[in-house]
Amino acid sequence: QVQLVESGGAVAQPGTSLRLSCAASGFTFGLHGMHWIRQAPGKGLEWVAVFSYDEEETKYYADSVKGRFTISRDNIKNTLFLQMDSLRPEDTAVYYCAKGNYYESGTYYILENWGQGTLVTVSS
Amino acid sequence: IVMTQSPDSLALSLGERATINCKSSQSVFYSLENKDYLTWYQQIPGQPPKLLISWASIRESGVPERFSGSGSGTDFTLTISGLQAEDVAVYYCHQYYNTPPTFGQGTKVE
């Protein structure tokens, strides 16, 4: 069965960096676009970033994190990463990784499976 | 694309029907594929979201038949026919018509 296990969440000071990881198993990792989504405490869902499944290695980011966060993946180790730099208090959230659907009708943005999430708290 | 759900919360009795609406600020129907690029997720308290319905009306494997999705273009509905105790959750609609994909604010079902 599909398993996604996030790690790396911590308490960080504003302006510092964190790196999140998502270990994937139970599916062919390299065939799926992979996403990060976050949820601030008591709030709704916000999509953060995606890394495509194909050789073009397309990456897209939410405007709120563009230029500060970098998504990457290791298809050998079946792991997704999120490098978070210049952290701000508003980045405080549970960060989920999610597996996108197998490419269909021009999209891999259906979030089929989610991990349990890892909590990032940005505070001085 | 801004996704707006109504109502924000819903309090019902067991066995009643729950109706959650989702409106997008622009159409999420892609005519070349003849599909609406919209999903519904369920988030039970303390758990990650779970995919219920994709393409506006296609129920995921294992999702009970009491969950159904309808609508097209800019107006969509999630219906839970015969509410069960385990359906207490927050429900989100989500458009993947373009990037960035966006979620509704959520509807809490109690």
Side-chain angles (χ1 to χ4, degrees):
Chain A
Q1 72 281 21
V2 173
Q3 275 202 310
L4 299 166
V5 180
E6 302 93 338
S7 60
V11 177
Q13 291 199 331
T16 63
S17 300
L18 280 178
R19 190 191 197 206
L20 305 184
S21 300
C22 171
S25 61
F27 65 102
T28 306
F29 184 72
L31 294 183
H32 292 265
M34 294 296 297
H35 302 255
W36 288 101
I37 302 98
R38 67 185 181 183
Q39 186 170 36
K43 302 296 184 183
L45 301 169
E46 180 188 16
W47 176 85
V48 172
V50 63
F51 197 118
S52 70
Y53 67 97
D54 53 20
E55 292 177 348
E56 296 191 14
E57 298 189 346
T58 306
K59 291 161 271 192
Y60 290 109
Y61 299 92
D63 286 344
S64 57
V65 307
K66 202 174 294 181
R68 300 188 298 122
F69 290 10
T70 303
I71 189 171
S72 60
R73 64 190 293 167
D74 183 334
N75 287 348
I76 303 298
K77 295 184 177 178
N78 290 349
T79 305
L80 180 72
F81 302 99
L82 187 68
Q83 178 67 38
M84 308 165 66
D85 298 323
S86 302
L87 283 165
R88 304 168 179 170
E90 55 264 37
D91 295 321
T92 295
V94 173
Y95 284 73
Y96 296 102
C97 77
K99 165 181 159 283
N101 63 298
Y102 189 75
Y103 186 79
E104 175 188 353
S105 298
T107 186
Y108 43 87
Y109 279 63
I110 297 172
L111 307 170
E112 293 185 321
N113 303 90
W114 300 58
Q116 290 295 315
T118 188
L119 178 61
V120 171
T121 303
V122 183
S123 173
S124 54
Chain B
I1 297 176
V2 177
M3 307 299 288
T4 304
Q5 292 180 227
S6 61
D8 288 333
S9 64
L10 207 49
L12 296 167
S13 299
L14 294 178
E16 286 194 306
R17 171 177 295 204
T19 301
I20 300 169
N21 300 302
C22 174
K23 189 173 185 69
S24 57
S25 61
Q26 68 183 73
S27 176
V28 298
F29 177 76
Y30 185 37
S31 56
L32 289 179
E33 297 286 346
N34 195 31
K35 290 180 176 178
D36 288 282
Y37 284 52
L38 183 117
T39 52
W40 288 96
Y41 297 90
Q42 174 195 58
Q43 188 174 30
I44 293 170
Q47 294 187 20
K50 172 188 171 184
L51 176 63
L52 292 179
I53 287 169
S54 57
W55 306 114
S57 61
I58 307 299
R59 199 182 307 113
E60 291 300 298
S61 174
V63 173
E65 290 185 5
R66 62 181 181 273
F67 291 93
S68 63
S70 62
S72 184
T74 60
D75 293 280
F76 300 90
T77 301
L78 175 70
T79 302
I80 311 172
S81 303
L83 197 67
Q84 302 295 305
E86 60 265 32
D87 301 335
V88 169
V90 178
Y91 293 85
Y92 295 93
C93 61
H94 162 244
Q95 69 78 19
Y96 48 101
Y97 179 83
N98 64 10
T99 303
T102 46
F103 294 89
Q105 80 277 18
T107 295
K108 186 175 186 179
V109 173
E110 299 173 305

